[in-house]
Amino acid sequence: MDRGQQRLLNQKVAEINAKFPGIRTMTPAEVKQLERQGQRIVFVDCRTAPEMDVSRIHPDAISEDECIRRIDSIKNSEPPALVVGYCTIGYRSAKFVQKMKRSAGLGDADIVNLSGSILQWMQDSYDLWDATGSRTDRVHVWGKEYCQYVPEQGPNANYKSEYFKNPILASVFPQYMDFIKNIFGFGSDKNASSSSASFVSNKTEEQRNEQRVEPRRVYAQPLLQDCPQAGNAHKDQGLEWCSKSLKRDEDDDYAHGFLDENACFVESQRLKKSSTTAHE
């Protein structure tokens, strides 16, 4: 373990935990100890599907949506299960744990946030698994800034980091992730092999430049497809209006942006109506 890396990671994790004082946390070592004692653990990966596809901390980890669908059976399981939420560093999973405590009636004995999440898991030298259930040396860390926490010493020093080149897009509308991957690609750190960098778009730089659009507008575009009567000028106005709706959550130091989807839809309807009126 790199003590300098661990110190920096501890500082970042402490900042996150301070934002969620009502959330119970457990370290990877504590979770592994419970597993050895026979505790049934349900690992919930609170990241996007592309991140999960690269690797996860347990072969049987499930997504947030699957956890929500199965919550009744999880709550009533015998022996009782402990839900452990995790993400890259613990911020998204803390939000998930907070939501589940409020909406599903789970208590501290039922659900916890994995402190440091996948980054601490690697620092503690535990394995990662790919979507096929095989051990892997690849890890998706969401944004490039988190590559600094991937182990540089010890058993896990050979891990290859991957990340979203435009991580804020990944937090807006996850359903468009395939589109993002094709246009903007994934990045990889200096230690990544060619296979690790295979997510980067194989388009030529010239092709990418031709197709490149301002990221905020990428997500506004689908919201305006329901108003074909509006001419290009109206669509451009709508895209510009929607792009201005991209906000930053003041409580989110990790730049999780979002578009006000309902507001964009309302605006698209207004443009559609004004366009129809103009042609009557």
Side-chain angles (χ1 to χ4, degrees):
M1 178 187 298
D2 186 310
R3 293 183 179 179
Q5 268 192 326
Q6 186 63 66
R7 183 173 62 255
L8 292 175
L9 180 57
N10 288 345
Q11 292 173 354
K12 186 64 71 174
V13 171
E15 293 174 9
I16 295 172
N17 292 342
K19 292 178 180 292
F20 300 92
I23 300 302
R24 181 188 173 198
T25 63
M26 294 187 73
T27 66
E30 290 171 333
V31 172
K32 295 294 285 187
Q33 179 63 26
L34 286 179
E35 272 195 309
R36 287 191 289 269
Q37 295 173 353
Q39 169 71 58
R40 182 186 173 216
I41 306 289
V42 177
F43 289 99
V44 181
D45 197 316
C46 303
R47 302 174 299 159
T48 61
E51 292 171 273
M52 288 185 68
D53 288 343
V54 172
S55 62
R56 56 197 72 186
I57 67 174
H58 194 278
D60 297 326
I62 61 177
S63 66
E64 287 187 18
D65 289 342
E66 185 174 354
C67 179
I68 292 172
R69 288 195 300 269
R70 293 171 47 188
I71 193 60
D72 287 338
S73 62
I74 292 174
K75 288 169 63 175
N76 299 319
S77 64
E78 288 295 339
L82 175 67
V83 177
V84 177
Y86 75 91
C87 56
T88 299
I89 197 170
Y91 185 87
R92 285 176 286 177
S93 51
K95 280 192 167 184
F96 172 73
V97 171
Q98 185 179 65
K99 178 177 70 175
M100 295 303 289
K101 290 185 69 175
R102 292 172 177 172
S103 63
L106 299 180
D108 286 343
D110 308 309
I111 187 168
V112 300
N113 187 29
L114 186 65
S115 184
S117 285
I118 204 167
L119 293 173
Q120 187 60 59
W121 189 268
M122 289 188 297
Q123 286 288 348
D124 290 345
S125 302
Y126 298 125
D127 292 329
L128 294 182
W129 307 79
D130 63 21
T132 68
S134 302
R135 287 183 175 84
T136 181
D137 61 357
R138 295 166 56 207
V139 59
H140 199 297
V141 296
W142 190 73
K144 186 176 182 179
E145 66 269 30
Y146 295 111
C147 291
Q148 65 180 307
Y149 304 114
V150 175
E152 296 178 352
Q153 298 179 10
N156 287 348
N158 63 331
Y159 270 85
K160 303 173 182 66
S161 306
E162 299 174 18
Y163 53 86
F164 295 120
K165 288 186 177 180
N166 293 272
I168 194 170
L169 296 182
S171 303
V172 184
F173 297 134
Q175 61 266 39
Y176 297 118
M177 283 311 305
D178 287 339
F179 174 74
I180 293 174
K181 188 167 66 177
N182 289 334
I183 299 298
F184 297 103
F186 285 1
S188 54
D189 74 355
K190 61 183 179 181
N191 296 319
S193 65
S194 57
S195 62
S196 177
S198 61
F199 286 103
V200 178
S201 174
N202 58 6
K203 301 177 185 297
T204 66
E205 185 63 28
E206 182 179 356
Q207 289 174 319
R208 285 197 293 271
N209 286 335
E210 289 177 353
Q211 293 184 306
R212 185 173 288 120
V213 292
E214 205 282 322
R216 298 176 181 181
R217 296 188 174 210
V218 169
Y219 284 102
Q221 182 72 54
L223 299 175
L224 296 171
Q225 290 178 348
D226 66 326
C227 52
Q229 295 91 336
N232 289 333
H234 286 295
K235 286 193 176 185
D236 287 343
Q237 291 174 23
L239 289 171
E240 180 64 26
W241 186 90
C242 287
S243 72
K244 292 178 181 177
S245 296
L246 185 65
K247 306 171 183 178
R248 176 171 177 172
D249 185 340
E250 293 180 355
D251 293 330
D252 188 347
D253 293 336
Y254 303 95
H256 287 251
F258 66 92
L259 273 173
D260 187 339
E261 186 171 0
N262 290 330
C264 287
F265 177 77
V266 170
E267 178 67 4
S268 70
Q269 294 300 302
R270 186 190 68 76
L271 291 171
K272 177 179 177 180
K273 184 176 180 179
S274 64
S275 177
T276 303
T277 303
H279 288 85
E280 287 178 349

